[in-house]
Amino acid sequence: MRMLINSPETVVADALRGIAAAHPDLEVDVERRIVVRRGAREGGRVGLVSGGGSGHEPLHAGFVGPGMLSAACPGEVFTSPVPDQMLRAAAAVDSGQGVLFVVKNYTGDVLNFQMAAELAEEDGIRIEQVLVNDDVAVTDSLYTAGRRGTGATLFVEKIAGAAAEAGAPLEEVAEIARRVNAASRSFGVALSACTTPAKGSPTFDLPDGELELGIGIHGEPGRERRPVMPSREIARTAVGAVVEELEQIAPQDGPVLALVNGMGATPLLELYGFTADVCAVLAERGVQVARTLVGNYVTSLDMAGCSVTLCRADEELLRLWDAPVRTAALRWGA
């Protein structure tokens, strides 16, 4: 096993200590496993809390800060955080305006966030939840009932975070988050399996010369395996699967936000080449790209591969996307 770690047992705690050292604008509770925006209660804003298993960095802790999340709850690698983490996070960020939970559609996350929401409401904290389920590859998987939550999580957290930063009330922030999810679709491709620190070996068998289409962010099986294809053919397959469903979302001729996401081990040289192919396919299909984000944002440890997420965006969603953000992983605007 070749990993830059001390031990599998301490890998998440060690990473949290590193986040604390690198980003003093965040409050990091290593023992209780929560990352909170410093001054989260100031300004009377709605709080945004998300979380999930570690191994998908910078999701979610890398998205905590002005214009995005108020707090994140990292679980163990590929393991949901527990309700106590979410409850502490909600209490840490609630300014009296309520808290939105952003939940990826994985069974453990859904159950634990629901339990945390019930406990928080018993404590007098108003809670809304939005479920992210954007993956078009498969309907059910090893970890989910229904579609998996993947790249659209970034769109939901950024756009809802901007609405909260602007002072929108809880119900409006939740409605915007649900609109973003409903308008987003994703498709992922694996060129190699990932390796968890605890196992120390690939989580699934992907023979040399093959790739998996429709993979999940934990290495869940996709639609099919094929011989390795050139980037342009992978782009045609991924974009085709996404646009096929995106065409059912009004307005059918509206522009899209595009996320070309690396799964953790794919260098930017390859991702930018793949982006050129994605944009070419979208142009052939008459899809206007309003904004493009390229990089490793919703990852799967050391998996080589990529995903494409498109969100049908109206003027309001584009304005909120362009609004300033200052987090460890996303930074633009004033």
Side-chain angles (χ1 to χ4, degrees), residues 33-34 47-53 60 69 71-75 79-90 93 99-121 125 127-132 153 157:
R33 304 291 173 89
I34 58 172
L48 262 72
V49 174
S50 193
H60 293 275
L69 292 178
C73 308
T79 303
S80 173
V82 298
D84 281 354
Q85 289 174 260
M86 303 154 188
L87 181 60
R88 289 192 185 98
V93 305
V99 175
L100 176 66
F101 283 167
V102 179
V103 188
K104 300 191 302 303
N105 189 30
Y106 294 95
T107 302
D109 290 0
V110 172
L111 293 175
N112 288 345
F113 268 102
Q114 179 59 43
M115 187 179 300
E118 293 169 0
L119 293 171
E121 287 172 345
I125 302 173
I127 299 290
E128 289 275 359
Q129 297 187 69
V130 59
L131 187 69
V132 182
T153 312
E157 292 176 355

Side-chain angles (χ1 to χ4, degrees), residues 35-285:
V35 179
V36 181
R37 167 185 174 178
R38 195 172 296 279
R41 291 178 176 174
E42 298 172 3
R45 293 178 296 268
V46 168
L48 262 72
V49 174
S50 193
S54 296
H56 306 302
E57 288 73 21
L59 190 80
H60 293 275
F63 299 147
V64 175
M68 214 160 174
L69 292 178
S70 308
C73 308
E76 292 300 321
V77 173
F78 291 178
T79 303
S80 173
V82 298
D84 281 354
Q85 289 174 260
M86 303 154 188
L87 181 60
R88 289 192 185 98
V93 305
D94 180 39
S95 65
Q97 302 304 311
V99 175
L100 176 66
F101 283 167
V102 179
V103 188
K104 300 191 302 303
N105 189 30
Y106 294 95
T107 302
D109 290 0
V110 172
L111 293 175
N112 288 345
F113 268 102
Q114 179 59 43
M115 187 179 300
E118 293 169 0
L119 293 171
E121 287 172 345
E122 289 177 3
D123 290 344
I125 302 173
R126 289 191 300 134
I127 299 290
E128 289 275 359
Q129 297 187 69
V130 59
L131 187 69
V132 182
N133 57 353
D134 54 304
D135 179 48
V136 304
V138 296
T139 301
D140 297 302
S141 74
L142 299 175
Y143 292 80
T144 62
R147 291 179 166 177
R148 302 174 292 212
T150 58
T153 312
L154 184 153
F155 288 156
V156 170
E157 292 176 355
K158 169 63 185 78
I159 292 173
E165 195 73 29
L170 178 60
E171 293 75 13
E172 183 179 334
V173 175
E175 187 274 333
I176 287 171
R178 294 185 185 111
R179 277 173 53 201
V180 174
N181 177 66
S184 300
R185 298 290 186 271
S186 297
F187 190 91
V189 179
L191 304 176
S192 74
C194 59
T195 301
T196 62
K199 186 178 181 184
S201 60
T203 54
F204 63 95
D205 178 40
L206 187 57
D208 290 343
E210 293 188 5
L211 53 77
E212 179 120 16
L213 297 172
I215 199 73
I217 58 174
H218 305 94
E220 309 98 304
R223 287 183 175 182
E224 61 177 313
R225 289 188 177 180
R226 291 188 191 176
V228 171
M229 303 180 291
S231 170
R232 66 178 66 89
E233 295 304 318
I234 296 173
R236 288 190 184 282
T237 301
V239 171
V242 172
V243 171
E244 181 179 329
E245 296 212 5
L246 205 67
E247 288 175 343
Q248 303 172 31
I249 300 172
Q252 284 81 1
D253 59 348
V256 299
L257 296 169
L259 169 63
V260 178
N261 175 66
M263 301 305 292
T266 300
L268 279 171
L269 179 68
E270 296 175 29
L271 286 178
Y272 275 116
F274 181 65
T275 299
D277 294 327
V278 166
C279 290
V281 175
L282 288 170
E284 289 173 5
R285 289 177 168 268

